[in-house]
Amino acid sequence: MLNGLKPGTIIDGRFRLMDEIGRGGMGVVYRAMHLSINKQVAVKILRQDCASDSKKMQRFRREAHVISVLEHPNIVHIFSVGMVEAGQPYIAMEFLPGEQLSQQIERRGAIPWTEALPLFIQICDAMQHAHEQQVIHRDVKPSNIVVGKDDAGNASAKLVDFGIAKFIADRSAAITQTDAVVGSVSYTSPEQFEGKQADVGSDIYSLGCTIYQALTGKLPCLGDTVFETVNSHLNTEPELINQANPTAKVPADLSCLVH
């Protein structure tokens, strides 16, 4: 049974659920078959226990709205949105068979800069597109970057999970304590800890933390407690990449850029 939905259940007359591939604080993600084009997709459905929460419903719908305005090869593509029969909203997106960057870092440790740089150039391009469309991701981190292969077999990176993204002009979508702290505190920009609105620079800061971790295998700002980690973001100067990882041998200009 899948969140009350059995394998083989057809959603909205278009998607046949196959199996569960992920579960988060609000949604459950299934591998499914797009019946019209005979292609695997990922279907994210709001959890049944969240469907009666107006704030979570609004956040889920905002994610669908945000992704729908973004068209970029390094941002997860959305096929459609709709409702399941039980009344929960869903988002049908492209199925990404790759590996989260966080999983790669955990498995491999530091990633050679020559391998990582092309991937981060792709993510920078994706972020620039989002920012040009007035979208701030607000949760850039290794677990929200999926690394795989493109149609030509080349390494490809995709930015995913726009669950707490917002439009720049939307002053009502302030980041919540849960959004800022649970799982993301190590990548959150200092101004957000000070209660200020996230902006384009906040995404860039989070990407800097992500690149640093990929190249060193270590977080630039880390404490034994959440409070100490926040204090590190606010007051501590991280080591340069080649100091944190002497085997990295990162060119000086790249190290300076990340720093």
Side-chain angles (χ1 to χ4, degrees):
M1 185 74 70
L2 306 174
N3 190 36
L5 301 171
K6 298 179 180 179
T9 298
I10 296 178
I11 299 297
D12 209 9
R14 290 183 286 177
F15 307 102
R16 178 182 288 113
L17 300 185
M18 299 168 70
D19 50 29
E20 182 180 318
I21 58 175
R23 181 177 288 263
M26 293 200 319
V28 183
V29 182
Y30 307 104
R31 185 168 59 96
M33 183 62 67
H34 193 310
L35 300 177
S36 299
I37 59 177
N38 195 33
K39 182 177 182 178
Q40 288 190 34
V41 298
V43 176
K44 183 176 183 178
I45 303 175
L46 185 67
R47 281 184 6 204
Q48 288 177 320
D49 57 324
C50 297
S52 59
D53 187 319
S54 60
K55 290 184 178 180
K56 290 181 178 179
M57 181 76 81
Q58 181 183 22
R59 174 175 158 179
F60 193 92
R61 287 174 172 163
R62 187 172 71 239
E63 178 181 7
H65 183 203
V66 166
I67 302 176
S68 69
V69 305
L70 302 177
E71 289 286 343
H72 190 279
N74 299 107
I75 293 176
V76 62
H77 175 70
I78 186 170
F79 288 102
S80 67
V81 299
M83 301 285 287
V84 302
E85 289 187 2
Q88 303 134 265
Y90 77 83
I91 307 170
M93 301 169 284
E94 66 177 314
F95 176 72
L96 301 176
E99 183 179 32
Q100 292 174 335
L101 179 62
S102 57
Q103 295 172 318
Q104 285 206 3
I105 295 171
E106 183 177 355
R107 176 170 54 83
R108 301 173 57 187
I111 299 172
W113 74 267
T114 52
E115 179 183 341
L117 185 58
L119 299 175
F120 284 120
I121 289 174
Q122 294 175 28
I123 295 301
C124 284
D125 198 38
M127 281 178 48
Q128 178 176 332
H129 171 75
H131 294 161
E132 288 173 348
Q133 301 303 313
Q134 303 298 297
V135 170
I136 304 171
H137 188 283
R138 298 201 300 174
D139 200 19
V140 176
K141 57 186 177 181
S143 61
N144 284 337
I145 295 173
V146 176
V147 179
K149 301 286 186 182
D150 61 19
D151 293 339
N154 300 313
S156 174
K158 297 241 184 188
L159 186 60
V160 303
D161 197 346
F162 285 75
I164 61 171
K166 73 169 188 121
F167 289 97
I168 293 174
D170 183 5
R171 310 305 293 178
S172 65
I175 194 166
T176 67
Q177 182 180 7
T178 300
D179 293 337
V181 175
V182 177
S184 303
V185 65
S186 296
Y187 311 94
T188 300
S189 62
E191 63 269 17
Q192 290 170 276
F193 291 127
E194 294 173 339
K196 300 174 184 176
Q197 287 282 342
D199 59 14
V200 166
S202 306
D203 275 356
I204 295 172
Y205 181 91
S206 299
L207 181 62
C209 293
T210 298
I211 298 174
Y212 187 101
Q213 185 183 12
L215 298 178
T216 65
K218 305 173 184 178
L219 288 163
C221 301
L222 182 65
D224 292 333
T225 65
V226 169
F227 175 80
E228 290 178 359
T229 298
V230 171
N231 186 63
S232 179
H233 278 287
L234 293 170
N235 301 302
T236 302
E237 184 81 8
E239 293 181 303
L240 292 171
I241 290 174
N242 289 333
Q243 293 174 326
N245 176 20
T247 66
K249 302 187 186 308
V250 170
D253 55 351
L254 176 59
S255 176
C256 181
L257 178 65
V258 175
H259 205 67

